Amino acid sequence: KKHVAGGYYFRTAPPDKLQAPALSSLIINDGFSKVAIIALNDSYGQGFAKALAKSLKSGGAKVTANVAYDAKGTSYDSDAQKVAASKPKAVAVIAFPDTGGKVLQALIAAGVGPKDVQIYATDGLETSSLPTKVDPANLGVIDGLKGTTPAAAPAGIKSPFTAKFKATGVDAVFSSYYYDCTILTALAAVKAKS
């Protein structure tokens, strides 16, 4: 949301503490009560995993495994095996594309990929290049993956931004946020005359 007050511009983006209950609701409303979480071992991943686990438990679901993986790792097979051993009906992956693609590869190899159990992802994995990071020879390898992400614009607002930006050929994921931040920085510089 953008607000203008007294000549000041500011922007807010929802914290992961709000996205976690949304993801939990999606998982539970889809009928899954045995859920494994695999998350990046950093403040983003572990903060999100903690909030997601709490929300899943509050909703009546059981967290079968909560695995933290190392972003500097070269193989995620043992992490994926921990997830598989917990026999989940759904898996939440909290990651960024580069390591997230490798984690998804490992989950598929361990028999808990999208063809075997429902996979859910967070906005950290939202990119049109994700399938190529998982398997460039099989772009349908993650078909069925679901997830949540904060809305790029309020519902019901019509803006030419999306169509105009799409024409650039640049991946539009998060582009409205980047554009918004740039414009707000420019407005602040103009206002400050600096």
Side-chain angles (χ1 to χ4, degrees):
K1 293 181 178 180
K2 287 185 287 186
H3 302 277
V4 181
Y8 292 95
Y9 294 84
F10 59 97
R11 174 182 182 267
T12 59
D16 294 328
K17 286 191 284 187
L18 294 179
Q19 191 183 165
L23 182 58
S24 172
S25 292
L26 177 63
I27 294 168
I28 291 169
N29 290 337
D30 280 352
F32 298 107
S33 59
K34 291 178 67 182
V35 184
I37 300 169
I38 183 165
L40 189 58
N41 193 10
D42 68 0
S43 59
Y44 164 71
Q46 293 309 295
F48 203 125
K50 182 179 178 182
L52 180 60
K54 180 180 177 184
S55 190
L56 285 166
K57 289 173 187 173
S58 294
K62 178 183 178 190
V63 176
T64 62
N66 196 341
V67 179
Y69 78 87
D70 181 4
K72 293 185 174 123
T74 55
S75 171
Y76 301 106
D77 295 341
S78 64
D79 299 310
Q81 289 300 328
K82 290 176 191 172
V83 169
S86 75
K87 301 193 183 325
K89 299 298 182 188
V91 177
V93 180
I94 303 167
F96 293 118
D98 288 338
T99 58
K102 294 174 185 171
V103 166
L104 287 166
Q105 287 173 355
L107 291 171
I108 291 165
V112 284
K115 288 185 178 178
D116 308 297
V117 300
Q118 181 62 57
I119 302 290
Y120 293 89
T122 61
D123 60 333
L125 280 176
E126 187 178 1
T127 176
S128 58
S129 66
L130 183 60
T132 61
K133 293 183 183 300
V134 179
D135 186 350
N138 179 9
L139 300 182
V141 71
I142 58 170
D143 282 354
L145 184 142
K146 289 183 167 185
T148 56
T149 185
I157 301 294
K158 299 285 185 200
S159 170
F161 177 84
T162 305
K164 286 186 183 275
F165 196 87
K166 189 174 184 180
T168 68
V170 175
D171 192 344
V173 174
F174 295 114
S175 296
S176 61
Y177 296 107
Y178 303 148
Y179 180 83
D180 193 31
C181 288
T182 303
I183 293 301
L184 288 175
T185 302
L187 289 170
V190 168
K191 184 72 175 175
K193 297 179 181 164
S194 169

